[in-house]
Amino acid sequence: MANEYLEKMYKEFLEKFEESNLEQLIEAFNREVGNRGWAGVRGAYLMAMKDAFLKYKDLDSSSIIAKDGKGISLARKVRLEGNTLIAEGENFGGAARAI
């Protein structure tokens, strides 16, 4: 039952992120940097966020998304420069892997 719930939450979060523009998605990402709390729902939220970033085919998100596309780094806040996400600021050292 928990997996069904997390899958439902993932889909809801992804739909919300897909309705957002890139600037709003970056703002949501930056709010998560430094947050060390963890729960299954947060994992679903972060994976939906990662997948929403990946839908921007012209966006270089390599500063936050693992090469294999299965994880997202919450180590640093990012800003958009051209079509590239640039990591900046203090390194918080956080990462999330696919559930």
Side-chain angles (χ1 to χ4, degrees):
M1 178 155 61
N3 288 339
E4 289 175 14
Y5 175 74
L6 292 178
E7 186 173 323
K8 177 181 178 273
M9 294 305 301
Y10 165 84
K11 289 177 183 177
E12 288 179 16
F13 291 136
L14 184 60
E15 185 176 303
K16 177 184 173 198
F17 288 134
E18 288 176 340
E19 292 171 356
S20 302
N21 62 40
L22 184 55
E23 184 177 302
Q24 292 167 322
L25 188 56
I26 291 169
E27 288 173 9
F29 173 85
N30 285 338
R31 282 192 302 270
E32 292 299 315
V33 173
N35 180 351
R36 298 206 183 264
W38 190 256
V41 173
R42 182 166 186 240
Y45 179 83
L46 294 173
M47 291 307 106
M49 179 183 292
K50 173 193 62 80
D51 291 344
F53 274 116
L54 290 173
K55 292 195 183 256
Y56 287 91
K57 299 297 181 194
D58 294 332
L59 178 68
D60 177 357
S61 57
S62 61
S63 65
I64 62 168
I65 297 180
K67 288 181 184 180
D68 63 7
K70 294 183 179 178
I72 186 168
S73 171
L74 299 171
R76 295 180 186 268
K77 293 183 178 188
V78 295
R79 63 181 165 75
L80 184 63
E81 189 172 299
N83 288 338
T84 304
L85 292 178
I86 305 294
E88 60 184 8
E90 183 179 350
N91 185 339
F92 289 95
R97 296 296 294 174
I99 315 172

